Amino acid sequence: MSRNWGALAGGVLLVLLVGLAAVGPHLTRDPIARDIEHGLSAMGAPLPPGDGALLGTDQLGRDVWARLVAGAGSSLAIAGLATLLALVIGLAVGLTAGYAGGRVDTILMRFVDLVLSFPFLMVAILLAALLREADLASSTLPVIVTLGAVSWTTLARVVRAKALTLAAADHVTAARALGATPARIVLRHILPNVAGLVAAVALLAFAQNLLAEAALSYLGLGPPPPEASWGRMLYEGRPYYRTAPHLVIAPGLAIVLAVVAFHLAGEALRARFDPAERLR
Amino acid sequence: MIALVARRVGWTLLVIWFVITATFVMTAAIPADPAKALLGPHADTAAVERVRAHYCLDDGLVTQYGCWLSSVVRGDLGESFRSKRPVIDIIADRIGPTVQLALAAIVLQLVIGVPLGILAAVRRGRWPDRAATAATLLAQSAPQFFLGTLLLYLFAFRFGWFPIAGSGSLAHLVLPAFTLAAVGIAYYARVVRSELAEALDADYVRTARAKGLPERTVVLRHALRNALGPLVTLIGLDLGVLLGGAVVVEAIFAWPGLGREVLQAVLEVDLPLILGTVLVTAIAIAVANLLSDLALLWLDPRLRDRR
């Protein structure tokens, strides 16, 4: 009962969030336009929420609500692409290990253990710093590659566990007896059966990537300005937290809400497709 | 038993080797001159030459790798291009406060998280359980820098209960340690809840109850002892999370530890320092995991028979 309630709340929040990111930018003001004349108080301080701007303005007179909506787009896009990358790596490793079994499985899973032994945020910092040194500095690509490269391990483990049991299932044995190639078996007979579980774990990874993107942005390793990602907004608003707390609270709450939504939806899907797996 | 320990130590060595190798591959794989990347954009030619010679950059990849491996093993992590000091010395100087912060966080996680988990397990399905689940979800979803800034605003700036930033006293430690521990408190509570819930359904607990022991004794003496095993592993794993999180938390509270040093290094693209810190923390975590596994082996005789 309570789980259904959580799933519903998560689903509704998700739809609202994606809708906001898709439609919102057409309804708000320009998120990048600086309005020194009307956007700042007589003392040159950010305006509080309410008069003129729904959520107030930031230190450059930009509309916080408009930036929040634009930030939904860029934060979701970055976390989404990173999750996609993690999905590709995780599926490739997990399916191979699970279907091949034996020594291949042992080696691949040991490799996953090794990757997991790295401290996540530290590696992300190193990778982001290194990629910035390459000529990709002016794009969001370093962030996406960094997050994707460190977040595929859970996916690989879950897919592998499921594929391992499926590889011994009757319908797979039947397909093999009929002479199907390993590639065909994996793609036609195993992949469809892990899809639900993969979707669930991908949603959880998405939540994790949203948080990690925000953390990297906060450290100055996120997408470059004037991109209005939520982490970047927090980073820029942080020096003003005493006089204009809305600059920190608005993007912070947005991140919390989005992560909660992805978590609830992911956990609900996971409970549906993998009842045996205890929720962590 | 000895074979088990030997295998575990061997694995730790493998992890350390992998960390050193992976950092080499990362630096070798970026499409930029590693010497220039290591020294920053304004390095003079002589310095670039020195670095190229130091890491054998003019030779083949295999020699480069050998150079990297041998200098790391000797504890030579290069020179910070900003301060020109050996990276290993900077790390040694700054790691103290960070370890202090991490230890304080672990204590908070245990002191708050474990009782919360016990409460939730004993009152399964009722409101303390629901509340703990909801609090867990929230704590896991709030970015550390958001939580930290919020705590700073409320308890340091608005109410003035704690100092705004810096270090030196116990009062300085409270807010950063709590910020760092928040996720862990939630996570520990969740793990204790699920492990204890499982233990409470076990036969020996039913026997203990049937003997007429008070519920308090059954839960704390019988069930809890068996439920705490995974927690030992978690403490080992946590070190990595805490050291990583320290970067953010130290930035918020101006805590003078390794994390702030890393952040500064990131801002000034001081790659040797970043690289060195990643290496040292990864190795520290590998060793911490080894220690927690060995401790578990010592605490829980059932594990010794496995394979």
Side-chain angles (χ1 to χ4, degrees), chain A residues 110 113 117 121 125-126 132-134 211 214-215 218-219 221 234 238 241-242 245 252 255 259-260 278 280, chain B residues 11 15 18 22 26 30-31 137 140-141 143 145-146 152-153 157 187 190 194 198 244 252 263 266 269 275 278:
Chain A
R110 280 290 163 168
D113 286 343
S117 68
L121 195 59
I125 289 173
L126 176 62
R132 245 182 12 170
E133 274 311 291
L211 277 178
Y218 184 76
L219 299 176
L221 287 169
L234 264 170
R238 157 86 178 116
Y241 77 95
R242 290 185 217 188
I255 296 173
V259 174
V260 166
R278 222 182 316 140
R280 303 218 317 142
Chain B
W11 171 250
V15 168
F18 176 78
M26 282 185 219
I30 52 158
L137 180 62
Q140 282 180 337
S141 305
F145 45 88
F146 178 52
L152 193 62
Y153 178 72
F157 179 62
Y187 194 58
R190 254 184 130 164
S194 80
E198 194 178 314
I252 301 170
L263 188 62
V266 166
V269 208
L275 214 52
V278 171

Side-chain angles (χ1 to χ4, degrees), chain B residues 141-161:
Chain B
S141 305
Q144 267 172 340
F145 45 88
F146 178 52
L147 180 68
T149 311
L150 221 54
L151 291 177
L152 193 62
Y153 178 72
L154 284 178
F155 296 110
F157 179 62
R158 267 297 169 79
F159 304 149
W161 295 349

Side-chain angles (χ1 to χ4, degrees), chain A residues 18 20-21 34 43 50 55 84 110 130 170 179 203 222-223 234 267:
Chain A
V18 174
L20 189 70
R34 303 170 182 194
M43 307 289 288
L55 289 178
L84 205 64
R110 280 290 163 168
L130 281 173
D170 289 341
L203 282 177
L234 264 170
E267 295 281 15

Side-chain angles (χ1 to χ4, degrees), chain B residues 43-83:
Chain B
D44 56 79
T45 342
V48 171
E49 284 308 315
R50 239 189 3 256
V51 168
R52 292 198 73 87
H54 184 96
Y55 292 113
C56 319
L57 285 180
D58 295 316
D59 301 304
L61 270 180
V62 180
T63 324
Q64 279 183 39
Y65 176 61
C67 267
W68 175 245
L69 206 59
S70 79
S71 43
V72 172
V73 169
R74 276 183 284 118
D76 174 9
L77 299 176
E79 232 175 42
S80 154
F81 93 76
R82 179 165 46 107
S83 64

Side-chain angles (χ1 to χ4, degrees), chain B:
Chain B
M1 176 71 185
I2 290 170
L4 207 59
V5 172
R7 190 175 348 190
R8 195 59 195 72
V9 172
W11 171 250
T12 305
L13 291 176
L14 187 66
V15 168
I16 292 173
W17 168 80
F18 176 78
V19 165
I20 299 173
T21 305
T23 44
F24 170 77
V25 171
M26 282 185 219
T27 42
I30 52 158
D33 180 1
K36 286 206 179 110
L38 283 171
L39 289 169
H42 308 300
D44 56 79
T45 342
V48 171
E49 284 308 315
R50 239 189 3 256
V51 168
R52 292 198 73 87
H54 184 96
Y55 292 113
C56 319
L57 285 180
D58 295 316
D59 301 304
L61 270 180
V62 180
T63 324
Q64 279 183 39
Y65 176 61
C67 267
W68 175 245
L69 206 59
S70 79
S71 43
V72 172
V73 169
R74 276 183 284 118
D76 174 9
L77 299 176
E79 232 175 42
S80 154
F81 93 76
R82 179 165 46 107
S83 64
K84 306 289 178 220
R85 290 180 61 206
V87 166
I88 194 83
D89 291 356
I90 300 181
I91 294 176
D93 280 355
R94 293 303 200 101
I95 201 152
T98 301
V99 170
Q100 191 187 6
L101 197 58
L103 288 180
I106 288 182
V107 169
L108 280 180
Q109 290 172 358
L110 288 173
V111 170
I112 305 176
V114 174
L116 216 59
I118 297 175
L119 190 70
V122 174
R123 303 253 181 283
R124 229 178 309 172
R126 283 190 271 162
W127 73 263
D129 187 17
R130 298 257 177 87
T133 310
T136 307
L137 180 62
L138 267 184
Q140 282 180 337
S141 305
Q144 267 172 340
F145 45 88
F146 178 52
L147 180 68
T149 311
L150 221 54
L151 291 177
L152 193 62
Y153 178 72
L154 284 178
F155 296 110
F157 179 62
R158 267 297 169 79
F159 304 149
W161 295 349
F162 298 103
I164 295 233
S167 67
S169 75
L170 200 60
H172 283 98
L173 189 60
V174 175
L175 290 182
F178 190 79
T179 308
L180 194 55
V183 180
I185 291 173
Y187 194 58
Y188 278 32
R190 254 184 130 164
V191 170
V192 169
R193 179 203 176 273
S194 80
E195 291 294 326
L196 186 58
E198 194 178 314
L200 283 172
D201 288 337
D203 288 341
Y204 65 84
V205 167
R206 202 181 44 191
T207 309
R209 282 195 181 123
K211 280 199 300 190
L213 290 178
E215 184 66 17
R216 196 188 163 75
T217 316
V218 173
V219 173
L220 295 183
R221 295 296 282 290
H222 293 247
L224 189 62
R225 280 182 73 153
N226 282 295
L228 288 184
L231 220 53
V232 178
T233 312
L234 263 188
I235 294 175
L237 287 174
D238 246 4
L239 195 68
V241 181
L242 292 176
L243 288 178
V247 180
V248 172
V249 172
E250 287 179 10
I252 301 170
F253 295 98
W255 188 262
L258 194 56
R260 226 170 50 147
E261 200 66 34
V262 171
L263 188 62
Q264 202 57 38
V266 166
L267 293 178
E268 301 181 11
V269 208
D270 192 344
L271 268 180
L273 190 50
I274 304 178
L275 214 52
T277 315
V278 171
L279 274 171
V280 169
T281 45
I283 291 172
I285 290 159
V287 173
N289 287 344
L290 172 67
L291 292 180
S292 71
D293 276 7
L294 293 182
L296 196 58
L297 221 49
W298 175 59
L299 288 171
D300 192 342
R302 286 174 302 182
L303 297 174
R304 290 176 207 161
D305 303 330
R306 252 190 233 165
R307 278 201 291 163

